[in-house]
Each structure stands twice: as structure tokens, then as C-alpha cells.
Amino acid sequence: MQTLFRYNWMVREEWYKWCENLPEAELLKPRTGGAGGILKTLFHIADVEWSWIMSIQGKPDFQEDFEQYRNLQKVRDLDATFRPEVEQFVRAWNEGLERKIFEDRRPDGSMVTDAWGEVMRHVIAHEIHHVGQLSIWAREVGKTPVSANLIGKGLMDSLPGRL
Amino acid sequence: MQTLFRYNWMVREEWYKWCENLPEAELLKPRTGGAGGILKTLFHIADVEWSWIMSIQGKPDFQEDFEQYRNLQKVRDLDATFRPEVEQFVRAWNEGLERKIFEDRRPDGSMVTDAWGEVMRHVIAHEIHHVGQLSIWAREVGKTPVSANLIGKGLMDSLPGRL
């Protein structure tokens, strides 16, 4: 579990760096599919990760919208604000949490239940999926996307405990 | 580990079904980024999954290329040929295999080592990343992509053992 979160954080950081070399207009430009734009996707990734991890703990969710964060630095700052609590939760993850039940009340009032382990994997897959979308837009603006490789990043070199 | 592989197989099957409603010319049309096209990406996903799982076991790799599989049914058939052995390997996965070393000789003769656990997560992330690319192309052809949601698929409902 931890390995895939750490992979996502490393790749996300590389995308932030990648964005430094693109004019802001390109970062903000509306695009077809996904969250609808490059920076908006990065905002959405950080937002969704944080929101899920708050929600399953019964903590207040993040409710702001992208209109207040239409700038690379603002998105990075927001992500940096979220990260410590997300990281703490991920590091403390253990097998005993896998099947805890999260009761999710939907906007229509209905209740859906998910296992915490499902939610965590959903968050992991959510980011990788959106990063795949970024890679297409990168090619469309004529740039090489950040590598999606998980191997070769030393992700399991020094990890003492859970993977 | 198993949950994410099963997620990928479910989503992949939904993409094959999705492809049934697209003219073959659209499936084969060269596109910007990723593996360069919709069907080629699905071929690439099945190929790479199988190749890694063969390679870490020291078994012969798959060497054919997409030119022989430019048809939805051919790709599905190939995937179906690979699946039993892949599934068997994934189902037998256990913690003791996480840090086994895979020695990968690169085309230039150099040797790189990866932990088996890294390779498995690489395969998982590889598919999700490419599926994110498919979702952009789906919107570009005016279609709703397959949902990337991991929650709500009942993936952890009846799983007795490893996740």
C-alpha cells in the first residue's frame, strides 16, 4: 500500500516540476476528457486523495474549488498543506484496517458502504488514471511526459515495514 | 495486490466491451501519446502484464508485435491465452515473494535488479496509466469512457485471503 502511495507522490512531484516549463496558459487551457485541464487535474488529484482520507476518518472534507487555485504554486502549496496528514495516515496503515467499513452518504441521501482497503486502492488508482491523462496532453503540447515507471525508483530499497 | 490485479482485469474487460461499439478504423487509428492507438494500447497492456510475469519467473517472454493482432477479437483471444497463467501467479502471491530479486538484463547488456514486489506494482500501475490514456481518446471520439472507479465493484466482498 505504502509503496504505491509513495510512487504517486514521487510522480506527482515530477509533474509539478514538469509544469514549471509550460506557460501558465497551457496549464490552464481547457482540454477534452478527465478533469478538463493539466493544472486542474493536479488539483483534483491532491483534493481527492485528501478528501477520501479525511472522509473515511469522519473528518471534515475539503470543499473549495479550482477557481481559487488557478496557479501552479497555489496547487503545490495546497498539496503541501494536505500531505503531512495524508502521509501520517498512510504510514500508519495496517492489515487490520483493510475491512473497516466506511459508510458514504451520497448527495441523494442513499448510503453506500466501502471497505477502507477499497477506498485506499481507489485513491491510488484514481491518481495513476489521471496521470495517464496528463501524459496524453503532454504529447499534445509537444512535450515528453513524466515517466510512469514504478521500477527503478528505489521504492523498496529502504522500506523496513509494510509495502 | 490481488485486488488491484482483479480491478485491472475487470476494467480491461469493460474496455473490450466498449470497443465493440467503435468502428475498427477508430480502434486502429494512430493517436498522439501512449502506445499510439486504442487497440494497440489494449494489446500493449496484456502483452506487458504477461511478459513481466513470465520474465520474473525466468520463463520465455512474448515477442510478437501488434501487426499480427490488428483486430479486437485477436487481442481478446491473445489476452485469454495469457490470463490463466497470469491469474495463477497472482493468486499464489504471498509476502515472501515481495523482496525476491529479479535480475533484468537490458538490451545494452547492463544488469538491473528489481524486487518482485516492485515488478508487480509496476504492472498494476502500467495498466491503470494506459487506461487513463484510453479515457482521453474516448472523449476525443465523443464517447463516455469506462469508469475507473475501484470502489463499488465488490472487489473485497468475497475475498477470503490476500488483498
Side-chain angles (χ1 to χ4, degrees):
Chain A
M1 191 73 85
Q2 294 190 9
T3 304
L4 283 161
F5 271 94
R6 292 193 302 130
Y7 161 76
N8 271 342
W9 297 329
M10 284 174 81
V11 170
R12 198 187 310 167
E13 185 54 36
E14 287 183 60
W15 275 102
Y16 286 140
K17 289 211 179 80
W18 182 94
C19 285
E20 292 171 3
N21 297 310
L22 210 63
E24 190 163 79
E26 288 289 354
L27 294 179
L28 296 174
K29 188 177 160 188
R31 295 175 196 278
T32 301
I38 293 172
L39 192 60
K40 197 169 180 182
T41 295
L42 288 162
F43 169 85
H44 176 68
I45 287 169
D47 172 14
V48 165
E49 181 179 81
W50 198 79
S51 294
W52 272 112
I53 286 180
M54 291 303 103
S55 297
I56 56 174
Q57 298 178 87
K59 295 183 178 177
D61 193 0
F62 174 73
Q63 299 290 358
E64 294 187 60
D65 84 15
F66 180 62
E67 290 311 305
Q68 273 70 56
Y69 295 89
R70 296 173 60 84
N71 166 280
L72 177 58
Q73 194 54 48
K74 283 188 182 174
V75 174
R76 290 174 105 155
D77 290 347
L78 180 73
D79 194 345
T81 311
F82 293 158
R83 188 67 54 82
E85 203 164 339
V86 173
E87 238 183 281
Q88 193 183 20
F89 186 81
V90 170
R91 282 182 200 282
W93 184 259
N94 64 74
E95 193 74 19
L97 303 175
E98 287 283 359
R99 289 169 195 283
K100 275 191 80 158
I101 295 300
F102 169 60
E103 293 190 332
D104 191 10
R105 186 171 297 278
R106 295 291 160 88
D108 68 1
S110 66
M111 189 76 92
V112 182
T113 60
D114 307 299
W116 282 29
E118 276 177 302
V119 171
M120 294 294 271
R121 287 171 184 80
H122 177 77
V123 172
I124 289 166
H126 180 266
E127 172 152 359
I128 304 172
H129 181 80
H130 280 296
V131 163
Q133 298 173 331
L134 292 180
S135 77
I136 294 290
W137 293 334
R139 292 291 182 193
E140 285 176 358
V141 299
K143 302 268 190 185
T144 304
V146 170
S147 167
N149 281 349
L150 186 143
I151 49 168
K153 287 189 161 56
L155 280 164
M156 286 175 62
D157 288 354
S158 60
L159 206 63
R162 281 179 293 279
L163 304 164
Chain B
M1 191 71 86
Q2 294 190 7
T3 305
L4 284 162
F5 271 94
R6 291 192 304 132
Y7 161 76
N8 272 342
W9 296 330
M10 283 174 82
V11 171
R12 197 187 310 167
E13 185 55 36
E14 286 183 59
W15 276 102
Y16 286 139
K17 288 208 181 83
W18 181 96
C19 285
E20 291 170 4
N21 298 310
L22 210 63
E24 189 161 81
E26 288 290 352
L27 295 178
L28 295 174
K29 189 178 160 188
R31 296 176 197 277
T32 302
I38 293 172
L39 192 61
K40 197 170 179 181
T41 295
L42 288 162
F43 169 85
H44 177 67
I45 286 169
D47 171 14
V48 164
E49 181 180 81
W50 197 78
S51 293
W52 272 112
I53 285 179
M54 291 302 103
S55 296
I56 56 174
Q57 298 178 86
K59 295 182 179 179
D61 193 359
F62 175 73
Q63 299 291 355
E64 293 185 62
D65 83 18
F66 180 62
E67 290 311 306
Q68 273 71 57
Y69 296 89
R70 296 172 60 83
N71 167 279
L72 178 58
Q73 194 55 49
K74 283 188 181 174
V75 173
R76 291 175 103 154
D77 290 347
L78 181 72
D79 194 345
T81 311
F82 292 159
R83 189 66 54 82
E85 203 164 341
V86 172
E87 238 183 282
Q88 191 183 23
F89 186 80
V90 170
R91 283 184 198 282
W93 185 259
N94 64 75
E95 192 75 17
L97 302 176
E98 286 283 0
R99 289 168 195 283
K100 275 192 79 159
I101 295 300
F102 169 59
E103 294 190 330
D104 190 10
R105 186 171 296 279
R106 296 290 160 90
D108 68 359
S110 67
M111 190 77 92
V112 182
T113 60
D114 306 299
W116 281 29
E118 277 177 301
V119 171
M120 293 295 271
R121 288 171 183 80
H122 177 77
V123 172
I124 289 166
H126 180 266
E127 173 153 359
I128 303 171
H129 181 82
H130 280 296
V131 163
Q133 298 173 332
L134 292 180
S135 76
I136 295 290
W137 293 335
R139 292 290 182 195
E140 286 176 357
V141 298
K143 300 269 189 185
T144 303
V146 170
S147 166
N149 281 348
L150 187 141
I151 49 169
K153 287 188 161 57
L155 281 164
M156 285 174 62
D157 288 353
S158 59
L159 206 63
R162 279 178 295 278
L163 308 163

